[in-house]
Amino acid sequence: MTHPSAELAEFAAQLVYEDIPDDVLRRTEDLMLDCLASTLAGSSARAVQTIAQFADTMGPTSGPSENMVTRRSTSPLFAAMVNAAAAHMVEQDDVHNGSVFHPAAVVFPPAIATAQALGRSGKELLVACVAGYEVGIRVGEFLGRSHYKVFHTTGTAGALAAAVAVGRLLNLNKQQMLHALGSAGTQAAGLWEFLRDAADSKQLHTAKAAANGMTAAYLAHDGFTGAQHILEGPQGMGAGMSQDADPAKLTDRLGTRWTVLETSFKFHASCRHTHPAADALLDVVQSNDLSIDDIASVVAHVHQGAIDVLGPVTNPTSVHQSKFSMGSVLGLIAQQRRAGLPEFDAGLDDPAVAAFRSRVSMELDDEVDTAYPRQWIGKVTVQTRDGRTLTARVDEPKGDPGNTLSRNEIEDKAFRLATYRNAASKEESQALIEKVWSLAELQMVGRFLG
Amino acid sequence: MTHPSAELAEFAAQLVYEDIPDDVLRRTEDLMLDCLASTLAGSSARAVQTIAQFADTMGPTSGPSENMVTRRSTSPLFAAMVNAAAAHMVEQDDVHNGSVFHPAAVVFPPAIATAQALGRSGKELLVACVAGYEVGIRVGEFLGRSHYKVFHTTGTAGALAAAVAVGRLLNLNKQQMLHALGSAGTQAAGLWEFLRDAADSKQLHTAKAAANGMTAAYLAHDGFTGAQHILEGPQGMGAGMSQDADPAKLTDRLGTRWTVLETSFKFHASCRHTHPAADALLDVVQSNDLSIDDIASVVAHVHQGAIDVLGPVTNPTSVHQSKFSMGSVLGLIAQQRRAGLPEFDAGLDDPAVAAFRSRVSMELDDEVDTAYPRQWIGKVTVQTRDGRTLTARVDEPKGDPGNTLSRNEIEDKAFRLATYRNAASKEESQALIEKVWSLAELQMVGRFLG
C-alpha cells in the first residue's frame, strides 16, 4: 500500500487529536462555526426547502441526527444531505484557494450528523473534520484547473472529503478507508452547466457530496469494497475527469502541511472569484470617496477561472445568480461599499446596480492568472465620469490566511448569518457560538440548536 | 426549447400508451420480467446485502414501496436503491449494444418503486419504462466510446434514464422533465477503476443511478431547477465526460425508432463483452465435439471495448470478477458448454478452468471493432492439442434482437433466476411471471412478491 490513494487513506485512518497542532484545531472550530451559521442563513431558501421536503418524503421522521433546516431529527444520511444543501446556499462558507474547493459545506454536515448518531466526542469530531479537509483539499489540488473548468470541485472532491470525515468517526482502518475513497470517488459528480441557467444544482452538489461520501464510509465499514486507485488509476477520477491531474499533490506533506490553515473565510456573500476585484474596487471607492454614479467603467483584471465561472452570468435573474455576476458584486461595492446578504437581497432589482453591470468588464491578466490558484490577486482599473483613471491592487482578499478574520470578526459574521431571516434567535445564535468554542471539552457532541 | 436536451425532455414528458407500438410494449414486459428475476437472483449476494443494510440504517422501516431483497416495504428511494443494486449483480440483466448500457437495472427498480408509491396503473408503468429506455439509451449513444473507456455508462446515463422513468410517473411537464434531466446529469457518476480490484462498485453504480435519477425527478416535481443543456452544453456531460459526444444521437428518430426493440437479453451470466466469443467457441466445441482438454489455445478476436473492460481481469478472485474474465467464461463454455449462474459458482475454484485461462488470449480485430457497438461480432480461432486450427464466427450473439429469446425461453430463464439460491419459491416465481404478463390490465401495479 504505497500508492497515493493508499497513503491518503492511511493518513486519514490514523490521524489522532494529539498529532494536530493547536492552531489547526482552533481554526477548525472557526470554520465549523462559520459553516453552522451559513447553514442557518441558507435554511429558508427555496432550493434548500425543496431538498428538505424530499428528505421528509424519503427518509425517516425521527433519528439520532439533527436536521438544522427543519429543526427535526432524522437519520445521519438525511441530516447530512439537508444541512449540506443549506451550508453553501448563501455563498458565505469557506474556500480553499489552491484547490478552489469549499470544504466546510461537505465536511461538517456529514461529520456532525455521524458524530451525533454514534455519540462521539467533540475531539473525535474535530479530528474527523481535519482529516476531511486535508484529504478533500488535496484531491481538489490533484484534479487541477482542467477539472474545475467543467466540474464543480466541491461536488466531486467533496464526496471524498465527506467519506473521510465520516470514515474517521466510524473508526475505519486504513484498508476500509481506502475502500471508502473508492466508493466515494466512483460516485463523484457535479457539473458547472447549471450556472448559466441560474439553476439550483449547487445545493444538490453539496447535498449529494455529503450524502454520497457518508454512504461510501458506512458501506466500507460493513465490508463493501471500492477501487484501490480511484484517484490516480488508469480508469479513475484523474483519467476521466481531468487533463492535468497530478498525483504528487495527493500526498503533499501529509501531517506537516495543514491545509486547514490555508482555508479562507468569505467576507463578501458572493462567489469567491469576485472577491479579489471587489476588495480592490472597495479600496478605490473608499480612497477616492466615489459613489456609484461617479464611475464610468471598471475593468477587473482576473484569472481564467473567474471568466469560466462568472462569464456566462450576464443578466442575473435570482439573488443566488447575482452572486456569480461580477457586475452585480462590483455594483454593490460601488453603491453600498459592502456585498453582504442584505445588500444582495436589495440589489437584485435595483436599477442603479443593474445599469452598473454593463459598465463592468473582465479581462484576463497574465500576472493574476499565473499566480492563481496559489494566490488570488485583485486588480481593477476604474474610469471616473470626470476623466480620472484609478487603479488598485489587493494581494490577499479579506478572509485569506494573510488577511484573515479575528475571532471577534468570526463571531460577528456568524451572529449575522445565524439570525438572517430569523433562522435562529439571538439567544440560540449566542449559544451556538459558545458551544463551538467549547467543543473540544464535550464528551458527546449532541445538538447544536436548543 | 429546440435543443437536444429539451427535445428529449419533451418526448419523455409527452409519451402516451397509445403512441407505443404493441411489440415495444410486449418487449418491455419481457425485459421487466428478466429484470425482476435478475433482482431475485442477486438478492443474497454480499454486496447487495450490505447496501440493503445501509438502507435499513438510513431509510424508513415502512413505506409504500417493495424492497425485493429484504421483502419489507420502505420509501421509494430505498426500494429503488436496493433493488437496482440486486438487479445487476448476477450479470444476467439486459444490454443495449449500441449504447453499451444496461437499461433494465436502472429503469425498472425506480419506476416500479414510484408506481407503487403513487398507485399508478400497469399501463402507466410501462409507458414510464419505455420513456426511460428511449432516453437512457440515446444518452449512452451520445456519450460514445470515449466515455465508456473510463465511465460505466450504466451508472452515468442510468441516472437520466431513471429520472425520466420516475418523472413520467410523476407526470412532469416538459419543462420539469428538462429540470429533472439537468439534476440527474449533474449527479451522473461511475468509473471503471473498480474492475481491476474486483471491487463492489458495479452494484453501487446501479443503486445510485436509480436513486439519483429518482431524486432528480422528485425534486423537479417540487420546483427544483436544473441545467437546461446538461447533455450538450459547454460545461455539461459531453464536455466533461466524453471526447466524441454526438448531440445528434440524442434525438435520433424519437418516436419512430424504438430502442427497446434493439435491447438484448443476456444468455450467458457474464459481461456482455464475453458473449460473442463465447457463442463462437460454443459453436466450435459443439460442431467438433471437443472437451476442455482437447483445446490447446483460443484466440478471441474482439473489439477494443472488450480489451478495455476485460483486459485488467487476469486472475479473478471472486465469482463476480470471473464474469469479466474472458478466460474464465471461455473455460466454462469449453468445459460445461454453458456459462450460467451455477457454472460460475462451481467454476471459480475449478483447476481446469483456471488452467484454461492462460490458454486464452484476446486480439483486437479490425472488422469486429469497426462493426462495434452497432453489431457485436464473435470470432474465435481454436488450436486443438491434436494440431487442428478451427474457427467460428457469430454475427449476432444469442439474445440479440436477430437471435432473441422466445417467451418460453424468457420464462425459463426467469424461473431459473428467481429460484436461484431459493430467492423465491417456485410458486412465487410462477406468480411473478404471470403478474408481468398481465401488467397492462392492472389498475394498480402493487407488489410483485406475495
Side-chain angles (χ1 to χ4, degrees):
Chain A
M1 293 237 306
T2 54
H3 58 281
S5 291
E7 281 185 55
L8 262 185
E10 182 168 358
F11 167 77
Q14 298 181 349
L15 186 66
V16 293
Y17 193 80
E18 291 68 27
D19 291 341
I20 306 173
D22 192 62
D23 56 345
V24 176
L25 293 163
R26 299 294 83 75
R27 180 47 51 101
T28 305
E29 293 162 357
D30 296 345
L31 296 166
M32 186 186 295
L33 176 59
D34 198 55
C35 177
L36 290 165
S38 291
T39 303
L40 287 165
S43 61
S44 62
R46 178 190 50 76
V48 174
Q49 287 290 319
T50 307
I51 291 175
Q53 182 178 332
F54 176 76
D56 280 352
T57 303
M58 298 299 177
T61 51
S62 67
S65 301
E66 180 178 19
N67 179 333
M68 293 183 69
V69 170
T70 63
R71 300 270 189 137
R72 293 193 297 274
S73 64
T74 183
S75 68
L77 187 72
F78 290 98
M81 183 188 294
V82 174
N83 294 338
H88 198 45
M89 181 72 226
V90 298
E91 297 285 337
Q92 284 272 260
D93 52 315
D94 65 13
V95 60
H96 180 267
N97 288 346
S99 54
V100 202
F101 168 55
H102 301 285
V106 292
V107 167
F108 293 117
I112 289 170
T114 305
Q116 290 171 335
L118 302 177
R120 296 292 187 237
S121 71
K123 285 184 180 175
E124 288 171 314
L125 174 59
L126 286 168
V127 172
C129 295
V130 171
Y133 268 68
E134 297 301 323
V135 170
I137 286 168
R138 284 175 176 81
V139 170
E141 290 177 333
F142 158 76
L143 291 168
R145 292 181 67 165
S146 67
H147 178 76
Y148 188 78
K149 284 184 85 76
V150 181
F151 290 94
H152 183 199
T153 305
T154 301
T156 55
L160 290 93
V164 161
V166 174
R168 186 67 195 82
L169 286 161
L170 287 164
N171 291 323
L172 299 188
N173 65 33
K174 64 186 181 183
Q175 185 56 53
Q176 291 171 319
M177 191 67 87
L178 185 55
H179 288 308
L181 287 181
S183 291
T186 207
Q187 296 181 76
L191 295 160
W192 279 122
E193 182 61 32
F194 74 95
L195 208 55
R196 75 194 71 236
D197 303 313
D200 297 328
S201 310
K202 217 162 193 261
Q203 278 55 66
L204 187 59
H205 294 172
T206 52
K208 292 311 297 295
N212 290 345
M214 177 182 283
T215 302
Y218 269 79
L219 289 175
H221 178 264
D222 292 337
F224 199 87
T225 61
Q228 303 293 290
H229 300 72
I230 195 64
L231 289 156
E232 72 281 24
Q235 291 168 305
M237 288 181 76
M241 304 163 89
S242 174
Q243 283 87 52
D244 63 342
D246 178 2
K249 297 267 173 72
L250 289 169
T251 54
D252 178 36
R253 290 165 285 160
L254 277 172
T256 56
R257 169 195 174 207
W258 297 97
T259 61
V260 167
L261 298 178
E262 301 167 1
T263 302
S264 303
F265 297 95
K266 278 174 119 181
F267 188 67
H268 310 296
S270 58
C271 174
R272 187 64 173 179
H273 293 296
T274 67
H275 289 213
D279 282 357
L281 180 64
L282 186 61
D283 183 8
V284 170
V285 168
Q286 288 179 328
S287 304
N288 299 278
D289 198 22
L290 300 181
S291 77
I292 190 167
D293 293 331
D294 295 329
I295 297 174
S297 70
V298 181
V299 177
H301 307 279
V302 298
H303 53 281
Q304 183 63 44
I307 294 170
D308 293 341
V309 172
L310 309 173
V313 185
T314 51
N315 185 26
T317 58
S318 69
V319 168
H320 186 263
Q321 197 183 31
S322 72
K323 298 176 176 186
F324 291 80
S325 155
M326 183 66 94
S328 298
V329 174
L330 297 191
L332 294 177
I333 294 291
Q335 188 188 53
Q336 305 288 336
R337 301 191 182 181
R338 184 170 188 102
L341 298 183
E343 288 76 23
F344 274 103
D345 287 346
L348 181 66
D349 298 322
D350 186 312
V353 175
F356 193 80
R357 283 201 294 269
S358 63
R359 312 211 291 275
V360 172
S361 59
M362 289 188 284
E363 285 184 8
L364 181 64
D365 184 278
D366 277 349
E367 184 202 6
V368 173
D369 193 57
T370 303
Y372 174 88
R374 183 179 41 80
Q375 191 186 0
W376 294 45
I377 301 170
K379 287 160 69 171
V380 293
T381 303
V382 176
Q383 296 290 339
T384 62
R385 293 212 194 267
D386 62 9
R388 286 175 290 166
T389 300
L390 305 169
T391 64
R393 173 197 178 94
V394 170
D395 281 320
E396 288 201 76
K398 178 74 173 168
D400 264 16
N403 186 12
T404 194
L405 307 188
S406 66
R407 277 222 160 170
N408 275 348
E409 287 175 310
I410 290 165
E411 286 191 12
D412 175 64
K413 181 186 169 192
F415 193 82
R416 282 185 289 110
L417 287 171
T419 55
Y420 175 66
R421 294 188 185 168
N422 300 313
S425 68
K426 291 178 182 178
E427 294 71 24
E428 285 176 324
S429 304
Q430 197 55 49
L432 176 71
I433 292 168
E434 283 159 23
K435 168 142 186 162
V436 175
W437 294 159
S438 65
L439 190 67
E441 291 140 41
L442 297 179
Q443 287 307 304
M444 301 255 282
V445 169
R447 293 173 68 88
F448 284 86
L449 294 174
Chain B
M1 295 237 305
T2 54
H3 58 280
S5 291
E7 281 186 56
L8 262 185
E10 182 169 357
F11 167 78
Q14 297 181 350
L15 186 67
V16 293
Y17 193 80
E18 291 68 26
D19 291 341
I20 306 173
D22 192 61
D23 56 346
V24 176
L25 293 163
R26 299 294 84 72
R27 180 45 52 102
T28 305
E29 292 161 359
D30 296 345
L31 296 166
M32 187 185 296
L33 175 60
D34 199 55
C35 177
L36 290 165
S38 290
T39 303
L40 287 165
S43 62
S44 62
R46 178 191 49 77
V48 175
Q49 287 289 321
T50 306
I51 290 175
Q53 183 180 331
F54 176 76
D56 280 352
T57 303
M58 298 298 178
T61 52
S62 67
S65 300
E66 181 178 18
N67 179 332
M68 293 183 70
V69 171
T70 63
R71 301 270 189 138
R72 293 192 297 274
S73 64
T74 183
S75 69
L77 187 73
F78 290 98
M81 183 188 296
V82 174
N83 294 338
H88 197 46
M89 182 72 226
V90 297
E91 296 286 335
Q92 284 273 260
D93 52 315
D94 65 13
V95 60
H96 180 268
N97 288 346
S99 53
V100 203
F101 168 56
H102 301 287
V106 291
V107 167
F108 293 118
I112 290 170
T114 306
Q116 290 171 333
L118 302 176
R120 297 292 188 237
S121 72
K123 285 184 180 177
E124 289 172 312
L125 174 58
L126 286 168
V127 171
C129 294
V130 172
Y133 268 68
E134 298 301 323
V135 170
I137 287 168
R138 284 176 176 82
V139 170
E141 290 178 334
F142 158 76
L143 290 169
R145 293 180 69 165
S146 67
H147 177 76
Y148 188 78
K149 283 184 86 74
V150 181
F151 290 94
H152 183 199
T153 305
T154 300
T156 55
L160 290 93
V164 161
V166 173
R168 187 69 194 80
L169 287 160
L170 288 164
N171 292 323
L172 299 188
N173 64 34
K174 64 185 180 183
Q175 185 56 52
Q176 291 170 319
M177 191 67 87
L178 185 55
H179 288 309
L181 287 180
S183 290
T186 207
Q187 296 180 78
L191 295 160
W192 279 123
E193 182 61 31
F194 73 94
L195 208 54
R196 76 195 71 236
D197 304 312
D200 296 328
S201 310
K202 217 162 193 261
Q203 279 54 67
L204 187 59
H205 293 171
T206 52
K208 292 310 299 291
N212 290 344
M214 178 182 281
T215 302
Y218 269 80
L219 289 176
H221 178 264
D222 292 336
F224 199 87
T225 63
Q228 303 293 290
H229 300 72
I230 194 65
L231 290 156
E232 73 280 25
Q235 290 167 307
M237 288 180 76
M241 303 163 87
S242 174
Q243 284 87 54
D244 63 342
D246 177 2
K249 298 266 173 70
L250 289 170
T251 54
D252 178 36
R253 292 165 286 161
L254 277 174
T256 56
R257 171 196 173 207
W258 297 96
T259 60
V260 167
L261 298 177
E262 301 168 2
T263 303
S264 303
F265 297 95
K266 278 174 119 180
F267 188 66
H268 310 296
S270 58
C271 175
R272 186 64 173 178
H273 292 295
T274 66
H275 289 213
D279 283 358
L281 181 64
L282 186 61
D283 183 8
V284 170
V285 168
Q286 288 179 328
S287 304
N288 299 279
D289 199 21
L290 301 181
S291 78
I292 190 167
D293 294 330
D294 295 329
I295 298 174
S297 71
V298 182
V299 177
H301 307 279
V302 298
H303 53 282
Q304 183 63 43
I307 294 170
D308 293 340
V309 172
L310 309 173
V313 185
T314 51
N315 185 27
T317 57
S318 70
V319 169
H320 186 262
Q321 197 183 31
S322 72
K323 297 176 177 186
F324 291 80
S325 155
M326 183 65 94
S328 298
V329 174
L330 297 190
L332 294 177
I333 293 292
Q335 187 188 54
Q336 306 287 338
R337 301 191 183 182
R338 185 171 187 102
L341 297 184
E343 289 77 21
F344 274 102
D345 286 347
L348 181 66
D349 297 321
D350 186 312
V353 174
F356 193 80
R357 283 201 293 269
S358 63
R359 313 211 290 274
V360 172
S361 58
M362 289 189 284
E363 284 183 8
L364 181 64
D365 184 278
D366 277 349
E367 184 202 6
V368 172
D369 193 58
T370 304
Y372 174 89
R374 182 179 43 79
Q375 192 187 358
W376 292 45
I377 300 170
K379 286 159 71 171
V380 292
T381 302
V382 176
Q383 296 289 340
T384 62
R385 292 214 194 265
D386 60 10
R388 287 175 290 166
T389 300
L390 306 169
T391 64
R393 173 196 178 94
V394 169
D395 281 322
E396 289 200 75
K398 178 73 172 169
D400 263 18
N403 186 11
T404 193
L405 307 188
S406 66
R407 275 224 161 170
N408 276 348
E409 287 176 310
I410 290 164
E411 286 191 11
D412 176 62
K413 180 185 168 192
F415 192 82
R416 282 185 290 109
L417 287 171
T419 55
Y420 176 67
R421 294 190 185 166
N422 300 314
S425 69
K426 290 177 182 179
E427 294 71 26
E428 285 175 324
S429 304
Q430 198 54 51
L432 176 71
I433 292 168
E434 283 158 22
K435 169 142 186 163
V436 175
W437 293 160
S438 65
L439 189 67
E441 292 141 39
L442 297 179
Q443 288 307 301
M444 300 255 282
V445 169
R447 293 174 68 89
F448 283 85
L449 295 173

